[in-house]
Amino acid sequence: MNIGVVSLGCAKNLVDTENMLGLLYGAGFKFVSDPYDADILIVNTCGFILPAKQESINAILEMAEYKKHGRCKTLVATGCLIERYREELKKELPEVDIFIGVHEYDKLPALLNSPVQKDCLPRLLLTPPYRAYLRIGDGCSNRCTYCAIPLIRKGLKSVPEKDLIDEAKRLADLGVTELTLIAQDTSGYGRDIYGKPRLIPLLKELDRISGLHWIRVLYTYPDTVNYELLDTLSGGDKLVPYLDMPLQHINDDILRAMNRRGDKRHICSVLDYIRTHYPNFTLRTTMMVGFPSETEAQFAELMQFLRDYPFDRVGCFAYSIEENTAAADMENQIPDKVKQERLDALMRQQQTISLALNQGRIGEECELLIESMDENFSYGRTMRFAPDADGQVLVPRRAFHGTGCYIPIRLTEADCYDMRGESL
């Protein structure tokens, strides 16, 4: 039987989808890219914030149309949205035949009446063959007051180090050269197993694996980002000097209200250390505006901080109420109009900052990982650009260019998000 899949949400959700496909491959299923040709359609949903929930519902309804006009006889809804709202969705979405939460993927072959017939693949990669995500843990124990992830994914559950090394070696043997480490809290990795964070020893082991070229870490938590971690990211052969440290805010009162560990003083000390010792680092963060009780002065402090400590990439979103979180019951909720105004102002400022930083790198010589091509250009990323999150670099196409290869280039032009270069 043929299966079609729609995977929504973050890279961590994508790994869930890849694990599901490995199970289903072991159960004898085949996979198709056109939903019209699928006997079974699976939608792996996201339930993080309201727009993601709406996108997930729309995707389910869109796939349901193929039960009317295609081969599809079975529609499966999985993932975070289902884990959180299963009973409500069963009533609202009669089009769905099977609902599966985030802790039940191993039940899927049996629910589809197909027992495992052969050895299951650990994962069936949906990324291009030269890159993959390595999920080092699932769930989160930080209990930020605005966040529903612990309600969906439960507490932090790290993957044992040996299992991760074995998986990374397997991926390298398959031809993966770029490995991106992900979790809800990567710098807290291992705390639940070993009693203290063990990201640094893991990185040093991964750095020894032959075949890998770039190893990047995303989603580090501020209070466990320290000088030793920065030294490690800067000192490896394959480790990329790229710090993704979602801060959410910089005002200490707001951080306490968010139940975020790591105060402004610590955050600034980390950034000052990078500025002094590793000015070539690429910096990425995520900010939230309009959290309950955020004043104009606190928002202005956030804006000034981003001017004082420029980040190459900043993602920002307006606070949205999530049911059953502590922040949902807080007083002094900010009007939507004010939240949108603050979001727009921050992103306008960040465009100017990102443009200036990109322009400052014109003339820099670096490697480009080519990801796609057309008749005139090759498109790819330098180590400063994370997959599925940052911009791209385009260079005039040469005959020796091929997808997945690394070529030397010189950067020649820049805008807010993307850059241009020339082959060397």
Side-chain angles (χ1 to χ4, degrees):
M1 297 182 75
N2 294 336
I3 289 182
V5 178
V6 176
S7 186
L8 303 172
C10 64
K12 298 176 283 291
N13 221 35
L14 179 67
V15 173
D16 278 342
T17 303
E18 293 175 338
N19 287 329
M20 268 192 288
L21 295 186
L23 282 169
L24 293 170
Y25 177 84
F29 290 98
K30 299 179 180 179
F31 306 104
V32 294
S33 57
D34 189 340
Y36 188 84
D37 296 326
D39 302 292
I40 300 165
L41 285 168
I42 301 173
V43 181
N44 193 11
T45 63
C46 177
F48 183 46
I49 56 177
L50 181 59
K53 297 174 189 175
Q54 293 172 335
E55 181 186 24
S56 294
I57 295 296
N58 290 340
I60 291 171
L61 294 175
E62 181 181 352
M63 292 302 105
E65 289 297 306
Y66 290 96
K67 292 179 70 175
K68 302 175 183 176
H69 307 295
R71 291 174 49 172
C72 180
K73 298 294 187 292
T74 305
L75 177 59
V76 181
T78 75
C80 293
L81 187 72
I82 307 308
E83 181 69 29
R84 193 171 180 198
Y85 301 106
R86 185 190 319 231
E87 296 309 314
E88 297 94 320
L89 292 174
K90 282 183 177 179
K91 298 174 184 176
E92 297 296 328
L93 294 172
E95 300 91 343
V96 176
D97 302 289
I98 297 174
F99 292 85
I100 290 283
V102 299
H103 306 292
E104 304 172 297
Y105 296 128
D106 59 333
K107 299 178 181 178
L108 192 52
L111 289 171
L112 295 174
N113 299 314
S114 182
V116 174
Q117 298 171 350
K118 53 187 174 181
D119 291 338
C120 297
L121 293 175
R123 287 162 63 186
L124 191 61
L125 294 181
L126 295 175
T127 50
Y130 51 83
R131 67 174 177 90
Y133 291 102
L134 183 68
R135 189 170 66 186
I136 64 176
D138 195 16
C140 187
S141 299
N142 291 323
R143 298 300 191 268
C144 299
T145 57
Y146 54 82
C147 184
I149 287 175
L151 303 175
I152 301 169
R153 297 272 178 177
K154 312 304 180 186
L156 172 66
K157 186 177 181 181
S158 301
V159 179
E161 186 174 314
K162 182 182 182 303
D163 294 349
L164 292 172
I165 298 302
D166 289 345
E167 183 176 4
K169 289 178 178 178
R170 184 185 70 84
L171 291 170
D173 289 342
L174 290 173
V176 169
T177 60
E178 182 185 28
L179 197 65
T180 303
L181 275 60
I182 57 172
Q184 270 77 22
D185 175 6
T186 51
S187 51
Y189 165 76
R191 192 158 39 194
D192 56 315
I193 298 178
Y194 309 109
K196 60 182 179 180
R198 291 275 300 175
L199 177 61
I200 293 171
L202 173 63
L203 289 174
K204 290 179 178 178
E205 288 299 315
L206 293 173
D207 196 47
R208 297 188 178 100
I209 296 176
S210 61
L212 297 179
H213 193 71
W214 288 345
I215 302 172
R216 187 189 319 272
V217 182
L218 300 181
Y219 310 117
T220 61
Y221 193 92
D223 79 320
T224 40
V225 173
N226 54 31
Y227 300 163
E228 185 182 5
L229 176 58
L230 300 174
D231 293 341
T232 301
L233 291 173
S234 298
D237 292 330
K238 305 174 180 69
L239 300 176
V240 172
Y242 184 108
L243 181 65
D244 174 38
M245 183 172 62
L247 298 177
Q248 310 308 344
H249 215 281
I250 198 59
N251 175 267
D252 283 335
D253 289 336
I254 294 293
L255 290 174
R256 280 191 291 271
M258 290 178 169
N259 197 34
R260 297 281 293 178
R261 300 186 313 276
D263 58 14
K264 182 177 183 178
R265 180 177 178 180
H266 172 74
I267 292 166
C268 290
S269 72
V270 167
L271 296 173
D272 285 333
Y273 187 82
I274 292 173
R275 182 177 288 176
T276 301
H277 294 85
Y278 306 116
N280 202 40
F281 248 84
T282 301
L283 299 175
R284 180 181 181 85
T285 193
T286 304
M287 293 298 185
M288 180 189 298
V289 297
F291 188 79
S293 81
E294 183 191 49
T295 65
E296 287 292 342
Q298 290 167 333
F299 175 67
E301 181 182 355
L302 173 59
M303 295 284 279
Q304 184 62 51
F305 167 77
L306 290 173
R307 293 192 292 271
D308 293 339
Y309 292 93
F311 282 76
D312 299 88
R313 329 263 187 246
V314 175
C316 186
F317 58 97
Y319 167 77
S320 63
I321 294 175
E322 290 298 315
E323 303 95 331
N324 301 316
T325 61
D329 297 323
M330 289 182 178
E331 298 180 353
N332 300 316
Q333 298 283 335
I334 306 299
D336 289 343
K337 181 175 183 293
V338 174
K339 288 190 285 189
Q340 188 62 48
E341 289 171 350
R342 292 177 183 177
L343 175 62
D344 293 343
L346 190 150
M347 292 311 299
R348 283 196 302 270
Q349 173 177 286
Q350 184 57 37
Q351 286 181 339
T352 301
I353 292 171
S354 294
L355 177 61
L357 291 173
N358 280 348
Q359 288 177 332
R361 297 197 173 101
I362 290 175
E364 181 179 294
E365 295 182 0
C366 51
E367 280 186 311
L368 181 72
L369 169 58
I370 295 178
E371 299 202 282
S372 63
M373 295 169 287
D374 60 26
E375 291 183 0
N376 300 312
F377 293 99
S378 296
Y379 304 84
R381 294 176 290 107
T382 72
M383 67 168 58
R384 293 188 178 279
F385 294 79
D388 303 320
D390 300 335
Q392 63 181 358
V393 179
L394 63 100
V395 299
R397 183 174 177 179
R398 298 283 181 86
F400 57 84
H401 291 180
T403 302
C405 73
Y406 297 81
I407 64 169
I409 67 165
R410 180 185 295 110
L411 299 173
T412 58
E413 298 179 46
D415 63 23
C416 299
Y417 305 108
D418 302 327
M419 299 191 71
R420 287 183 177 238
E422 59 186 11
S423 302
L424 294 178

